[in-house]
Amino acid sequence: MALTGLNTVVMNRIPQSVKMGTVIGMGALIALIGMTSVDLVVSNDDTLVALGPMDNIDVIVSLIGVILIGTLIQAGVTGGLLIGMIVLTILVWTMNPSVRPDFDVAFSVPGIDTMPWQYFDFGALRNGDRLCVMIPAILSFHIAAVLDISGVTFGLSTFIKEASTDEVHVCNSTPSFVASSIGTVIASCTGSSPIIIAVESTAGIREGGRTGLTAVTVAILFLSTTFFQPLLLMIPSAATAPVLIFVGTMMMGGSKNIDWDCTSEAISAFLTIIMMPFTYSITNGILFGLGSSAMFYITTGEMYCNLKSYWKEKTDILSFSNAETIPLKEKSDVNVLA
């Protein structure tokens, strides 16, 4: 589907209200992830969620970090997000020596306990019962991946102003689907989860990343982190949460592109937005948005109007074609009669 461009066709058919709602919903989900990581928002048996303890050092540092990063970005400081993370990390290490890393063991060589080919199991291909279970699971993963990648691609493109909100499509989106497909195939050989476009990429985009060189650089840095895993694991959540909250704030700007005066579009967009953080899933938000949009397409009479216009156009074309096939003599007679 990625190579044929069918995934791009599917993405281009998603209504604009759902697409723009996806951008905002992603921002809300990112912010929620950041807030829950430091217990700024916690679960509650009575109200489902509640405000966490404000005397928590992580909560205090995170709120300070949001102000710090916002101030740096407002001042136009290059690398404001990274600078904020470094400052907050040092602050937490200073205030809480127990989480300070041991730099003597900061470096480690990763090991491979199981070889990739040991994960392969083709027994299901010879077992009818297992095959009947496997095929629906594969299709479910595929549909979820297509919707997830479509939503994130449009969201990130809108964030960098590369998506046309008038034509509601993203130019040259096929390579992103192909890259995700290849990555997923490789990941499956190593027993890893499917490779999709990370919504956290918005942090890099906010810092100026625009080309594939940014992705290659990040990939190399990620590879190098395997040797510094003990050190990186000591970076506190209080240093990363403000970045997620800030990025979520930036993604709220897409709400101005939603026609809130149109009830059908407003409800579809709202369901897309609200279901993402509430169900902790981008795919669920898109599904609710598409489902409501499809129902409104029928109940508001838009489908009837489109079908009526379609058949009228077909009838006019057919009538014109029949007129072209009338012999010249008969045409003259018709003109005389007219």
Side-chain angles (χ1 to χ4, degrees):
M1 289 184 69
L3 292 175
T4 59
L6 185 58
N7 285 338
T8 303
V9 174
V10 172
M11 185 175 68
N12 292 342
R13 292 297 180 182
I14 297 177
Q16 182 178 5
S17 59
V18 177
K19 285 185 174 182
M20 299 312 303
T22 300
V23 179
I24 305 168
M26 284 166 48
L29 178 59
I30 291 175
L32 178 63
I33 293 173
M35 292 178 182
T36 54
S37 67
V38 293
D39 289 338
L40 178 59
V41 174
V42 296
S43 61
N44 185 285
D45 294 335
D46 297 326
T47 60
L48 297 182
V49 293
L51 182 65
M54 296 304 295
D55 57 349
N56 187 336
I57 187 64
D58 288 340
V59 173
I60 296 174
V61 173
S62 296
L63 295 178
I64 293 174
V66 172
I67 302 301
L68 173 61
I69 291 176
T71 302
L72 292 174
I73 298 299
Q74 180 67 28
V77 177
T78 303
L81 294 176
L82 182 59
I83 294 174
M85 288 181 59
I86 294 175
V87 171
L88 293 174
T89 299
I90 295 175
L91 179 61
V92 173
W93 286 351
T94 303
M95 298 176 64
N96 189 0
S98 62
V99 299
R100 191 179 304 165
D102 184 0
F103 292 98
D104 294 333
V105 293
F107 180 84
S108 66
V109 179
I112 300 178
D113 298 328
T114 306
M115 301 308 294
W117 54 81
Q118 293 181 258
Y119 289 103
F120 293 160
D121 181 11
F122 298 101
L125 299 178
R126 300 186 298 271
N127 188 317
D129 294 335
R130 292 179 63 187
L131 192 62
C132 291
V133 175
M134 183 180 68
I135 291 178
I138 293 175
L139 292 176
S140 299
F141 272 115
H142 179 73
I143 294 174
V146 170
L147 292 176
D148 208 337
I149 295 172
S150 299
V152 175
T153 299
F154 184 82
L156 298 180
S157 300
T158 303
F159 196 58
I160 60 176
K161 306 298 188 298
E162 290 294 334
S164 170
T165 54
D166 295 329
E167 299 177 5
V168 293
H169 72 275
V170 180
C171 299
N172 302 321
S173 60
T174 299
S176 64
F177 285 103
V178 174
S180 297
S181 301
I182 296 174
T184 298
V185 172
I186 296 175
S188 65
C189 297
T190 61
S192 300
S193 58
I195 303 298
I196 61 173
I197 303 173
V199 69
E200 289 82 3
S201 299
T202 47
I205 293 174
R206 185 62 184 80
E207 285 298 329
R210 293 294 185 273
T211 66
L213 181 60
T214 304
V216 172
T217 303
V218 171
I220 294 174
L221 292 175
F222 262 115
L223 181 62
S224 66
T225 59
T226 58
F227 299 94
F228 297 95
Q229 186 176 8
L231 176 62
L232 296 176
L233 288 175
M234 299 306 295
I235 296 178
S237 299
T240 57
V243 176
L244 298 179
I245 296 173
F246 174 77
V247 171
T249 303
M250 294 295 97
M251 299 184 72
M252 294 294 108
S255 60
K256 66 178 182 294
N257 296 318
I258 298 175
D259 186 4
W260 295 106
D261 293 328
C262 178
T263 305
S264 58
E265 288 196 15
I267 293 177
S268 298
F270 175 76
L271 289 176
T272 304
I273 295 168
I274 209 68
M275 293 305 293
M276 288 187 187
F278 281 5
T279 64
Y280 224 71
S281 169
I282 295 175
T283 302
N284 288 342
I286 296 177
L287 287 175
F288 270 84
L290 288 176
S292 59
S293 181
M295 293 303 297
F296 279 123
Y297 182 69
I298 298 173
T299 59
T300 59
E302 185 178 354
M303 183 180 72
Y304 171 75
C305 294
N306 289 341
L307 287 175
K308 185 177 180 180
S309 300
Y310 173 80
W311 285 114
K312 184 178 184 302
E313 181 181 350
K314 287 294 184 182
T315 303
D316 293 342
I317 293 175
L318 184 61
S319 300
F320 179 78
S321 299
N322 291 336
E324 288 293 323
T325 58
I326 297 176
L328 181 61
K329 182 177 179 181
E330 293 183 12
K331 286 184 178 181
S332 301
D333 295 339
V334 171
N335 292 334
V336 170
L337 291 175

